[in-house]
Amino acid sequence: MPQNVGPIDSSRTPRYAGRDGFARLPRLDQVGRADIVVAGVPFDTGVSYRPGARFGPNHIREASRLLRPYNPALDVSPFELTQVADAGDIAVNPFDIAEAIETIQSAAYDLTADGTRLVTLGGDHTISLPLLRAAAERHGPVALLHFDAHLDTWDTYFGAEFTHGTPFRRAVEEGILDTEALSHVGTRGPLYGKKDLDDDHRFGFGIVTSADVYRQGVDEVVAKLRDRIGDRPLYLSIDIDVLDPAHAPGTGTPEAGGVTSRELLEIVRGFVGLNLIGADVVEVAPAYDHAELTGVAASHLAYDLVSLLALRHRDQNSDQNSEQQQDATS
């Protein structure tokens, strides 16, 4: 098998020089095909407060220059184990949300041909709806773990059905989510009314608040989430505002009392072995960031998501090889 093309060697080219792809990985057009693809969606027309997440993908890429090839927390070298490439940005219409959603869905479906897994850098949370549509086209209704300060299951905002606060209500209505395995993690802050929670419960979501993470601890939270998900195809959507503003000031709708970057990374790492089929990291707005705090957190989350997908890829290949060996000897 051909050797995977990895990041630029930082011992030969300083980290502040060379490729500007995620983790200084090669472009997709340089390798032809990849097991895991990182793509940006520079779109924030669906925001309800502070704009700027359209600049998020490149901000995350810039912060990712410091990432290294070996992930000790998960004991994996993801770029050695799998071919990972940066597909660049999906160019979407910034003036027409409906057209943008169609473009994202089509591009995501194309990028995930032949079993390729996609990690998407946003962009505002509107983009998760078309990404989930594409995932469901490939896998059927998917389980969802949604990390966010907010529920994002509103009905409409100013009469608009497609905004960054409505993607998961639309996804439930469209039947693309497995309603037996839906959870919000890290929610907090004021709501418009108790009906928000009642509607959310009716859609099938469980809720782990940021206070629950604080009181119960990471291990208990991970155990409960893993039990809820089981072996279903799983999509992870991470709004960076799930982090406390102290850890992620660069976002559009910050809320006090969030989880720490350490807690979030440890929760995500706790999903090793689950049937992860795709993920996104959204709502990074660099104009409000300070010293790349938000970009660094987002880049490390994306790196751990890539690592989880690489481990899943290894396990699936191992299972396939075992089945082939059994068939050959039977």
Side-chain angles (χ1 to χ4, degrees), residues 218-242:
V218 166
D219 291 344
E220 184 174 338
V221 167
V222 167
K224 289 179 178 178
L225 293 173
R226 289 182 66 99
D227 183 63
R228 188 174 180 86
I229 299 303
D231 61 357
R232 297 173 173 89
L234 171 64
Y235 189 93
L236 261 63
S237 184
I238 303 177
D239 185 326
I240 205 66
D241 74 19
V242 69

mmCIF file with all atom_site columns, all heavy atoms in Angstrom, residues 218-242:
data_model
loop_
_atom_site.group_PDB
_atom_site.id
_atom_site.type_symbol
_atom_site.label_atom_id
_atom_site.label_alt_id
_atom_site.label_comp_id
_atom_site.label_asym_id
_atom_site.label_entity_id
_atom_site.label_seq_id
_atom_site.pdbx_PDB_ins_code
_atom_site.Cartn_x
_atom_site.Cartn_y
_atom_site.Cartn_z
_atom_site.occupancy
_atom_site.B_iso_or_equiv
_atom_site.pdbx_formal_charge
_atom_site.auth_seq_id
_atom_site.auth_comp_id
_atom_site.auth_asym_id
_atom_site.auth_atom_id
_atom_site.pdbx_PDB_model_num
ATOM 1   N N   . VAL A 1 218 ? -16.482 14.070 34.443 1.00 0.00 ? 218 VAL A N   1
ATOM 2   C CA  . VAL A 1 218 ? -16.362 13.640 33.054 1.00 0.00 ? 218 VAL A CA  1
ATOM 3   C C   . VAL A 1 218 ? -16.667 12.156 32.892 1.00 0.00 ? 218 VAL A C   1
ATOM 4   O O   . VAL A 1 218 ? -17.407 11.758 31.976 1.00 0.00 ? 218 VAL A O   1
ATOM 5   C CB  . VAL A 1 218 ? -14.941 13.951 32.527 1.00 0.00 ? 218 VAL A CB  1
ATOM 6   C CG1 . VAL A 1 218 ? -14.661 13.223 31.229 1.00 0.00 ? 218 VAL A CG1 1
ATOM 7   C CG2 . VAL A 1 218 ? -14.764 15.447 32.344 1.00 0.00 ? 218 VAL A CG2 1
ATOM 8   N N   . ASP A 1 219 ? -16.120 11.304 33.748 1.00 0.00 ? 219 ASP A N   1
ATOM 9   C CA  . ASP A 1 219 ? -16.272 9.858  33.558 1.00 0.00 ? 219 ASP A CA  1
ATOM 10  C C   . ASP A 1 219 ? -17.735 9.429  33.621 1.00 0.00 ? 219 ASP A C   1
ATOM 11  O O   . ASP A 1 219 ? -18.183 8.605  32.801 1.00 0.00 ? 219 ASP A O   1
ATOM 12  C CB  . ASP A 1 219 ? -15.468 9.104  34.621 1.00 0.00 ? 219 ASP A CB  1
ATOM 13  C CG  . ASP A 1 219 ? -13.959 9.260  34.426 1.00 0.00 ? 219 ASP A CG  1
ATOM 14  O OD1 . ASP A 1 219 ? -13.551 9.683  33.324 1.00 0.00 ? 219 ASP A OD1 1
ATOM 15  O OD2 . ASP A 1 219 ? -13.208 8.968  35.372 1.00 0.00 ? 219 ASP A OD2 1
ATOM 16  N N   . GLU A 1 220 ? -18.491 9.980  34.570 1.00 0.00 ? 220 GLU A N   1
ATOM 17  C CA  . GLU A 1 220 ? -19.904 9.607  34.680 1.00 0.00 ? 220 GLU A CA  1
ATOM 18  C C   . GLU A 1 220 ? -20.696 10.115 33.470 1.00 0.00 ? 220 GLU A C   1
ATOM 19  O O   . GLU A 1 220 ? -21.557 9.406  32.940 1.00 0.00 ? 220 GLU A O   1
ATOM 20  C CB  . GLU A 1 220 ? -20.502 10.168 35.967 1.00 0.00 ? 220 GLU A CB  1
ATOM 21  C CG  . GLU A 1 220 ? -21.950 9.750  36.197 1.00 0.00 ? 220 GLU A CG  1
ATOM 22  C CD  . GLU A 1 220 ? -22.485 10.189 37.553 1.00 0.00 ? 220 GLU A CD  1
ATOM 23  O OE1 . GLU A 1 220 ? -21.672 10.431 38.456 1.00 0.00 ? 220 GLU A OE1 1
ATOM 24  O OE2 . GLU A 1 220 ? -23.722 10.273 37.692 1.00 0.00 ? 220 GLU A OE2 1
ATOM 25  N N   . VAL A 1 221 ? -20.399 11.328 33.031 1.00 0.00 ? 221 VAL A N   1
ATOM 26  C CA  . VAL A 1 221 ? -21.088 11.881 31.867 1.00 0.00 ? 221 VAL A CA  1
ATOM 27  C C   . VAL A 1 221 ? -20.803 11.033 30.631 1.00 0.00 ? 221 VAL A C   1
ATOM 28  O O   . VAL A 1 221 ? -21.713 10.679 29.871 1.00 0.00 ? 221 VAL A O   1
ATOM 29  C CB  . VAL A 1 221 ? -20.661 13.343 31.635 1.00 0.00 ? 221 VAL A CB  1
ATOM 30  C CG1 . VAL A 1 221 ? -21.105 13.823 30.254 1.00 0.00 ? 221 VAL A CG1 1
ATOM 31  C CG2 . VAL A 1 221 ? -21.251 14.237 32.716 1.00 0.00 ? 221 VAL A CG2 1
ATOM 32  N N   . VAL A 1 222 ? -19.544 10.677 30.408 1.00 0.00 ? 222 VAL A N   1
ATOM 33  C CA  . VAL A 1 222 ? -19.176 9.854  29.248 1.00 0.00 ? 222 VAL A CA  1
ATOM 34  C C   . VAL A 1 222 ? -19.888 8.509  29.295 1.00 0.00 ? 222 VAL A C   1
ATOM 35  O O   . VAL A 1 222 ? -20.414 8.030  28.277 1.00 0.00 ? 222 VAL A O   1
ATOM 36  C CB  . VAL A 1 222 ? -17.650 9.663  29.182 1.00 0.00 ? 222 VAL A CB  1
ATOM 37  C CG1 . VAL A 1 222 ? -17.286 8.566  28.184 1.00 0.00 ? 222 VAL A CG1 1
ATOM 38  C CG2 . VAL A 1 222 ? -16.966 10.963 28.802 1.00 0.00 ? 222 VAL A CG2 1
ATOM 39  N N   . ALA A 1 223 ? -19.930 7.883  30.465 1.00 0.00 ? 223 ALA A N   1
ATOM 40  C CA  . ALA A 1 223 ? -20.573 6.573  30.592 1.00 0.00 ? 223 ALA A CA  1
ATOM 41  C C   . ALA A 1 223 ? -22.054 6.655  30.217 1.00 0.00 ? 223 ALA A C   1
ATOM 42  O O   . ALA A 1 223 ? -22.578 5.780  29.511 1.00 0.00 ? 223 ALA A O   1
ATOM 43  C CB  . ALA A 1 223 ? -20.410 6.041  32.018 1.00 0.00 ? 223 ALA A CB  1
ATOM 44  N N   . LYS A 1 224 ? -22.733 7.699  30.671 1.00 0.00 ? 224 LYS A N   1
ATOM 45  C CA  . LYS A 1 224 ? -24.156 7.853  30.357 1.00 0.00 ? 224 LYS A CA  1
ATOM 46  C C   . LYS A 1 224 ? -24.376 8.100  28.870 1.00 0.00 ? 224 LYS A C   1
ATOM 47  O O   . LYS A 1 224 ? -25.306 7.556  28.260 1.00 0.00 ? 224 LYS A O   1
ATOM 48  C CB  . LYS A 1 224 ? -24.743 9.004  31.175 1.00 0.00 ? 224 LYS A CB  1
ATOM 49  C CG  . LYS A 1 224 ? -24.876 8.713  32.658 1.00 0.00 ? 224 LYS A CG  1
ATOM 50  C CD  . LYS A 1 224 ? -25.451 9.905  33.408 1.00 0.00 ? 224 LYS A CD  1
ATOM 51  C CE  . LYS A 1 224 ? -25.631 9.600  34.880 1.00 0.00 ? 224 LYS A CE  1
ATOM 52  N NZ  . LYS A 1 224 ? -26.155 10.769 35.645 1.00 0.00 ? 224 LYS A NZ  1
ATOM 53  N N   . LEU A 1 225 ? -23.519 8.916  28.266 1.00 0.00 ? 225 LEU A N   1
ATOM 54  C CA  . LEU A 1 225 ? -23.662 9.208  26.845 1.00 0.00 ? 225 LEU A CA  1
ATOM 55  C C   . LEU A 1 225 ? -23.362 7.976  25.999 1.00 0.00 ? 225 LEU A C   1
ATOM 56  O O   . LEU A 1 225 ? -24.069 7.701  25.016 1.00 0.00 ? 225 LEU A O   1
ATOM 57  C CB  . LEU A 1 225 ? -22.745 10.365 26.451 1.00 0.00 ? 225 LEU A CB  1
ATOM 58  C CG  . LEU A 1 225 ? -23.101 11.732 27.049 1.00 0.00 ? 225 LEU A CG  1
ATOM 59  C CD1 . LEU A 1 225 ? -22.020 12.750 26.726 1.00 0.00 ? 225 LEU A CD1 1
ATOM 60  C CD2 . LEU A 1 225 ? -24.455 12.222 26.537 1.00 0.00 ? 225 LEU A CD2 1
ATOM 61  N N   . ARG A 1 226 ? -22.340 7.234  26.358 1.00 0.00 ? 226 ARG A N   1
ATOM 62  C CA  . ARG A 1 226 ? -22.010 6.018  25.613 1.00 0.00 ? 226 ARG A CA  1
ATOM 63  C C   . ARG A 1 226 ? -23.155 5.009  25.690 1.00 0.00 ? 226 ARG A C   1
ATOM 64  O O   . ARG A 1 226 ? -23.483 4.341  24.704 1.00 0.00 ? 226 ARG A O   1
ATOM 65  C CB  . ARG A 1 226 ? -20.720 5.386  26.144 1.00 0.00 ? 226 ARG A CB  1
ATOM 66  C CG  . ARG A 1 226 ? -19.458 6.164  25.832 1.00 0.00 ? 226 ARG A CG  1
ATOM 67  C CD  . ARG A 1 226 ? -18.225 5.424  26.360 1.00 0.00 ? 226 ARG A CD  1
ATOM 68  N NE  . ARG A 1 226 ? -18.038 4.170  25.654 1.00 0.00 ? 226 ARG A NE  1
ATOM 69  C CZ  . ARG A 1 226 ? -17.183 4.001  24.646 1.00 0.00 ? 226 ARG A CZ  1
ATOM 70  N NH1 . ARG A 1 226 ? -16.431 5.016  24.226 1.00 0.00 ? 226 ARG A NH1 1
ATOM 71  N NH2 . ARG A 1 226 ? -17.060 2.826  24.065 1.00 0.00 ? 226 ARG A NH2 1
ATOM 72  N N   . ASP A 1 227 ? -23.762 4.909  26.848 1.00 0.00 ? 227 ASP A N   1
ATOM 73  C CA  . ASP A 1 227 ? -24.888 3.984  27.015 1.00 0.00 ? 227 ASP A CA  1
ATOM 74  C C   . ASP A 1 227 ? -26.067 4.414  26.136 1.00 0.00 ? 227 ASP A C   1
ATOM 75  O O   . ASP A 1 227 ? -26.760 3.568  25.564 1.00 0.00 ? 227 ASP A O   1
ATOM 76  C CB  . ASP A 1 227 ? -25.302 3.943  28.488 1.00 0.00 ? 227 ASP A CB  1
ATOM 77  C CG  . ASP A 1 227 ? -26.416 2.933  28.735 1.00 0.00 ? 227 ASP A CG  1
ATOM 78  O OD1 . ASP A 1 227 ? -26.191 1.730  28.516 1.00 0.00 ? 227 ASP A OD1 1
ATOM 79  O OD2 . ASP A 1 227 ? -27.525 3.356  29.138 1.00 0.00 ? 227 ASP A OD2 1
ATOM 80  N N   . ARG A 1 228 ? -26.283 5.704  26.007 1.00 0.00 ? 228 ARG A N   1
ATOM 81  C CA  . ARG A 1 228 ? -27.392 6.211  25.197 1.00 0.00 ? 228 ARG A CA  1
ATOM 82  C C   . ARG A 1 228 ? -27.135 5.984  23.706 1.00 0.00 ? 228 ARG A C   1
ATOM 83  O O   . ARG A 1 228 ? -28.057 5.693  22.944 1.00 0.00 ? 228 ARG A O   1
ATOM 84  C CB  . ARG A 1 228 ? -27.592 7.705  25.475 1.00 0.00 ? 228 ARG A CB  1
ATOM 85  C CG  . ARG A 1 228 ? -28.846 8.313  24.846 1.00 0.00 ? 228 ARG A CG  1
ATOM 86  C CD  . ARG A 1 228 ? -29.023 9.757  25.313 1.00 0.00 ? 228 ARG A CD  1
ATOM 87  N NE  . ARG A 1 228 ? -30.194 10.394 24.740 1.00 0.00 ? 228 ARG A NE  1
ATOM 88  C CZ  . ARG A 1 228 ? -31.422 10.329 25.231 1.00 0.00 ? 228 ARG A CZ  1
ATOM 89  N NH1 . ARG A 1 228 ? -31.638 9.643  26.344 1.00 0.00 ? 228 ARG A NH1 1
ATOM 90  N NH2 . ARG A 1 228 ? -32.432 10.945 24.649 1.00 0.00 ? 228 ARG A NH2 1
ATOM 91  N N   . ILE A 1 229 ? -25.885 6.100  23.289 1.00 0.00 ? 229 ILE A N   1
ATOM 92  C CA  . ILE A 1 229 ? -25.549 5.999  21.871 1.00 0.00 ? 229 ILE A CA  1
ATOM 93  C C   . ILE A 1 229 ? -25.448 4.550  21.411 1.00 0.00 ? 229 ILE A C   1
ATOM 94  O O   . ILE A 1 229 ? -25.907 4.195  20.319 1.00 0.00 ? 229 ILE A O   1
ATOM 95  C CB  . ILE A 1 229 ? -24.225 6.727  21.587 1.00 0.00 ? 229 ILE A CB  1
ATOM 96  C CG1 . ILE A 1 229 ? -24.349 8.216  21.923 1.00 0.00 ? 229 ILE A CG1 1
ATOM 97  C CG2 . ILE A 1 229 ? -23.813 6.542  20.126 1.00 0.00 ? 229 ILE A CG2 1
ATOM 98  C CD1 . ILE A 1 229 ? -25.444 8.949  21.195 1.00 0.00 ? 229 ILE A CD1 1
ATOM 99  N N   . GLY A 1 230 ? -24.833 3.704  22.194 1.00 0.00 ? 230 GLY A N   1
ATOM 100 C CA  . GLY A 1 230 ? -24.648 2.318  21.791 1.00 0.00 ? 230 GLY A CA  1
ATOM 101 C C   . GLY A 1 230 ? -23.753 2.230  20.564 1.00 0.00 ? 230 GLY A C   1
ATOM 102 O O   . GLY A 1 230 ? -22.748 2.922  20.451 1.00 0.00 ? 230 GLY A O   1
ATOM 103 N N   . ASP A 1 231 ? -24.139 1.363  19.612 1.00 0.00 ? 231 ASP A N   1
ATOM 104 C CA  . ASP A 1 231 ? -23.325 1.182  18.405 1.00 0.00 ? 231 ASP A CA  1
ATOM 105 C C   . ASP A 1 231 ? -23.945 1.872  17.191 1.00 0.00 ? 231 ASP A C   1
ATOM 106 O O   . ASP A 1 231 ? -23.596 1.573  16.050 1.00 0.00 ? 231 ASP A O   1
ATOM 107 C CB  . ASP A 1 231 ? -23.122 -0.307 18.117 1.00 0.00 ? 231 ASP A CB  1
ATOM 108 C CG  . ASP A 1 231 ? -24.440 -1.034 17.873 1.00 0.00 ? 231 ASP A CG  1
ATOM 109 O OD1 . ASP A 1 231 ? -25.515 -0.399 17.988 1.00 0.00 ? 231 ASP A OD1 1
ATOM 110 O OD2 . ASP A 1 231 ? -24.398 -2.245 17.564 1.00 0.00 ? 231 ASP A OD2 1
ATOM 111 N N   . ARG A 1 232 ? -24.842 2.822  17.418 1.00 0.00 ? 232 ARG A N   1
ATOM 112 C CA  . ARG A 1 232 ? -25.476 3.529  16.307 1.00 0.00 ? 232 ARG A CA  1
ATOM 113 C C   . ARG A 1 232 ? -24.470 4.407  15.567 1.00 0.00 ? 232 ARG A C   1
ATOM 114 O O   . ARG A 1 232 ? -23.504 4.873  16.166 1.00 0.00 ? 232 ARG A O   1
ATOM 115 C CB  . ARG A 1 232 ? -26.606 4.425  16.832 1.00 0.00 ? 232 ARG A CB  1
ATOM 116 C CG  . ARG A 1 232 ? -27.768 3.705  17.498 1.00 0.00 ? 232 ARG A CG  1
ATOM 117 C CD  . ARG A 1 232 ? -28.713 4.728  18.114 1.00 0.00 ? 232 ARG A CD  1
ATOM 118 N NE  . ARG A 1 232 ? -29.939 4.143  18.623 1.00 0.00 ? 232 ARG A NE  1
ATOM 119 C CZ  . ARG A 1 232 ? -30.099 3.675  19.852 1.00 0.00 ? 232 ARG A CZ  1
ATOM 120 N NH1 . ARG A 1 232 ? -29.073 3.721  20.713 1.00 0.00 ? 232 ARG A NH1 1
ATOM 121 N NH2 . ARG A 1 232 ? -31.256 3.171  20.240 1.00 0.00 ? 232 ARG A NH2 1
ATOM 122 N N   . PRO A 1 233 ? -24.693 4.663  14.284 1.00 0.00 ? 233 PRO A N   1
ATOM 123 C CA  . PRO A 1 233 ? -23.880 5.671  13.590 1.00 0.00 ? 233 PRO A CA  1
ATOM 124 C C   . PRO A 1 233 ? -24.005 7.013  14.304 1.00 0.00 ? 233 PRO A C   1
ATOM 125 O O   . PRO A 1 233 ? -25.118 7.487  14.554 1.00 0.00 ? 233 PRO A O   1
ATOM 126 C CB  . PRO A 1 233 ? -24.493 5.725  12.188 1.00 0.00 ? 233 PRO A CB  1
ATOM 127 C CG  . PRO A 1 233 ? -25.213 4.433  12.036 1.00 0.00 ? 233 PRO A CG  1
ATOM 128 C CD  . PRO A 1 233 ? -25.700 4.057  13.403 1.00 0.00 ? 233 PRO A CD  1
ATOM 129 N N   . LEU A 1 234 ? -22.878 7.621  14.642 1.00 0.00 ? 234 LEU A N   1
ATOM 130 C CA  . LEU A 1 234 ? -22.869 8.799  15.518 1.00 0.00 ? 234 LEU A CA  1
ATOM 131 C C   . LEU A 1 234 ? -22.267 10.003 14.823 1.00 0.00 ? 234 LEU A C   1
ATOM 132 O O   . LEU A 1 234 ? -21.189 9.914  14.222 1.00 0.00 ? 234 LEU A O   1
ATOM 133 C CB  . LEU A 1 234 ? -22.059 8.488  16.783 1.00 0.00 ? 234 LEU A CB  1
ATOM 134 C CG  . LEU A 1 234 ? -21.757 9.665  17.724 1.00 0.00 ? 234 LEU A CG  1
ATOM 135 C CD1 . LEU A 1 234 ? -23.048 10.240 18.309 1.00 0.00 ? 234 LEU A CD1 1
ATOM 136 C CD2 . LEU A 1 234 ? -20.805 9.235  18.837 1.00 0.00 ? 234 LEU A CD2 1
ATOM 137 N N   . TYR A 1 235 ? -22.965 11.123 14.944 1.00 0.00 ? 235 TYR A N   1
ATOM 138 C CA  . TYR A 1 235 ? -22.454 12.404 14.460 1.00 0.00 ? 235 TYR A CA  1
ATOM 139 C C   . TYR A 1 235 ? -22.248 13.319 15.664 1.00 0.00 ? 235 TYR A C   1
ATOM 140 O O   . TYR A 1 235 ? -23.125 13.424 16.534 1.00 0.00 ? 235 TYR A O   1
ATOM 141 C CB  . TYR A 1 235 ? -23.441 13.047 13.482 1.00 0.00 ? 235 TYR A CB  1
ATOM 142 C CG  . TYR A 1 235 ? -22.887 14.264 12.776 1.00 0.00 ? 235 TYR A CG  1
ATOM 143 C CD1 . TYR A 1 235 ? -22.261 14.144 11.546 1.00 0.00 ? 235 TYR A CD1 1
ATOM 144 C CD2 . TYR A 1 235 ? -22.976 15.534 13.348 1.00 0.00 ? 235 TYR A CD2 1
ATOM 145 C CE1 . TYR A 1 235 ? -21.729 15.253 10.893 1.00 0.00 ? 235 TYR A CE1 1
ATOM 146 C CE2 . TYR A 1 235 ? -22.451 16.645 12.715 1.00 0.00 ? 235 TYR A CE2 1
ATOM 147 C CZ  . TYR A 1 235 ? -21.834 16.496 11.486 1.00 0.00 ? 235 TYR A CZ  1
ATOM 148 O OH  . TYR A 1 235 ? -21.308 17.600 10.852 1.00 0.00 ? 235 TYR A OH  1
ATOM 149 N N   . LEU A 1 236 ? -21.076 13.978 15.737 1.00 0.00 ? 236 LEU A N   1
ATOM 150 C CA  . LEU A 1 236 ? -20.775 14.938 16.801 1.00 0.00 ? 236 LEU A CA  1
ATOM 151 C C   . LEU A 1 236 ? -20.788 16.344 16.230 1.00 0.00 ? 236 LEU A C   1
ATOM 152 O O   . LEU A 1 236 ? -20.126 16.615 15.225 1.00 0.00 ? 236 LEU A O   1
ATOM 153 C CB  . LEU A 1 236 ? -19.385 14.666 17.398 1.00 0.00 ? 236 LEU A CB  1
ATOM 154 C CG  . LEU A 1 236 ? -19.323 13.881 18.719 1.00 0.00 ? 236 LEU A CG  1
ATOM 155 C CD1 . LEU A 1 236 ? -19.890 12.493 18.511 1.00 0.00 ? 236 LEU A CD1 1
ATOM 156 C CD2 . LEU A 1 236 ? -17.890 13.792 19.220 1.00 0.00 ? 236 LEU A CD2 1
ATOM 157 N N   . SER A 1 237 ? -21.544 17.226 16.873 1.00 0.00 ? 237 SER A N   1
ATOM 158 C CA  . SER A 1 237 ? -21.571 18.631 16.471 1.00 0.00 ? 237 SER A CA  1
ATOM 159 C C   . SER A 1 237 ? -21.166 19.476 17.666 1.00 0.00 ? 237 SER A C   1
ATOM 160 O O   . SER A 1 237 ? -21.820 19.448 18.713 1.00 0.00 ? 237 SER A O   1
ATOM 161 C CB  . SER A 1 237 ? -22.977 19.029 15.993 1.00 0.00 ? 237 SER A CB  1
ATOM 162 O OG  . SER A 1 237 ? -22.985 20.358 15.525 1.00 0.00 ? 237 SER A OG  1
ATOM 163 N N   . ILE A 1 238 ? -20.070 20.226 17.503 1.00 0.00 ? 238 ILE A N   1
ATOM 164 C CA  . ILE A 1 238 ? -19.517 20.987 18.622 1.00 0.00 ? 238 ILE A CA  1
ATOM 165 C C   . ILE A 1 238 ? -19.571 22.476 18.313 1.00 0.00 ? 238 ILE A C   1
ATOM 166 O O   . ILE A 1 238 ? -18.836 22.974 17.460 1.00 0.00 ? 238 ILE A O   1
ATOM 167 C CB  . ILE A 1 238 ? -18.061 20.575 18.915 1.00 0.00 ? 238 ILE A CB  1
ATOM 168 C CG1 . ILE A 1 238 ? -17.980 19.075 19.207 1.00 0.00 ? 238 ILE A CG1 1
ATOM 169 C CG2 . ILE A 1 238 ? -17.508 21.392 20.090 1.00 0.00 ? 238 ILE A CG2 1
ATOM 170 C CD1 . ILE A 1 238 ? -16.567 18.569 19.439 1.00 0.00 ? 238 ILE A CD1 1
ATOM 171 N N   . ASP A 1 239 ? -20.462 23.175 18.991 1.00 0.00 ? 239 ASP A N   1
ATOM 172 C CA  . ASP A 1 239 ? -20.474 24.635 18.971 1.00 0.00 ? 239 ASP A CA  1
ATOM 173 C C   . ASP A 1 239 ? -19.451 25.090 19.996 1.00 0.00 ? 239 ASP A C   1
ATOM 174 O O   . ASP A 1 239 ? -19.528 24.719 21.171 1.00 0.00 ? 239 ASP A O   1
ATOM 175 C CB  . ASP A 1 239 ? -21.869 25.144 19.329 1.00 0.00 ? 239 ASP A CB  1
ATOM 176 C CG  . ASP A 1 239 ? -22.014 26.653 19.219 1.00 0.00 ? 239 ASP A CG  1
ATOM 177 O OD1 . ASP A 1 239 ? -21.036 27.377 19.492 1.00 0.00 ? 239 ASP A OD1 1
ATOM 178 O OD2 . ASP A 1 239 ? -23.123 27.120 18.898 1.00 0.00 ? 239 ASP A OD2 1
ATOM 179 N N   . ILE A 1 240 ? -18.500 25.896 19.569 1.00 0.00 ? 240 ILE A N   1
ATOM 180 C CA  . ILE A 1 240 ? -17.413 26.279 20.472 1.00 0.00 ? 240 ILE A CA  1
ATOM 181 C C   . ILE A 1 240 ? -17.912 27.053 21.676 1.00 0.00 ? 240 ILE A C   1
ATOM 182 O O   . ILE A 1 240 ? -17.213 27.136 22.701 1.00 0.00 ? 240 ILE A O   1
ATOM 183 C CB  . ILE A 1 240 ? -16.326 27.074 19.701 1.00 0.00 ? 240 ILE A CB  1
ATOM 184 C CG1 . ILE A 1 240 ? -14.961 26.954 20.413 1.00 0.00 ? 240 ILE A CG1 1
ATOM 185 C CG2 . ILE A 1 240 ? -16.743 28.526 19.499 1.00 0.00 ? 240 ILE A CG2 1
ATOM 186 C CD1 . ILE A 1 240 ? -14.382 25.566 20.406 1.00 0.00 ? 240 ILE A CD1 1
ATOM 187 N N   . ASP A 1 241 ? -19.158 27.588 21.627 1.00 0.00 ? 241 ASP A N   1
ATOM 188 C CA  . ASP A 1 241 ? -19.665 28.309 22.795 1.00 0.00 ? 241 ASP A CA  1
ATOM 189 C C   . ASP A 1 241 ? -20.081 27.373 23.926 1.00 0.00 ? 241 ASP A C   1
ATOM 190 O O   . ASP A 1 241 ? -20.517 27.838 24.987 1.00 0.00 ? 241 ASP A O   1
ATOM 191 C CB  . ASP A 1 241 ? -20.781 29.287 22.422 1.00 0.00 ? 241 ASP A CB  1
ATOM 192 C CG  . ASP A 1 241 ? -22.124 28.644 22.094 1.00 0.00 ? 241 ASP A CG  1
ATOM 193 O OD1 . ASP A 1 241 ? -22.369 27.487 22.462 1.00 0.00 ? 241 ASP A OD1 1
ATOM 194 O OD2 . ASP A 1 241 ? -22.956 29.328 21.460 1.00 0.00 ? 241 ASP A OD2 1
ATOM 195 N N   . VAL A 1 242 ? -19.938 26.047 23.711 1.00 0.00 ? 242 VAL A N   1
ATOM 196 C CA  . VAL A 1 242 ? -20.109 25.132 24.832 1.00 0.00 ? 242 VAL A CA  1
ATOM 197 C C   . VAL A 1 242 ? -19.048 25.411 25.893 1.00 0.00 ? 242 VAL A C   1
ATOM 198 O O   . VAL A 1 242 ? -19.260 25.180 27.089 1.00 0.00 ? 242 VAL A O   1
ATOM 199 C CB  . VAL A 1 242 ? -20.041 23.661 24.367 1.00 0.00 ? 242 VAL A CB  1
ATOM 200 C CG1 . VAL A 1 242 ? -18.639 23.278 23.910 1.00 0.00 ? 242 VAL A CG1 1
ATOM 201 C CG2 . VAL A 1 242 ? -20.514 22.717 25.468 1.00 0.00 ? 242 VAL A CG2 1
#
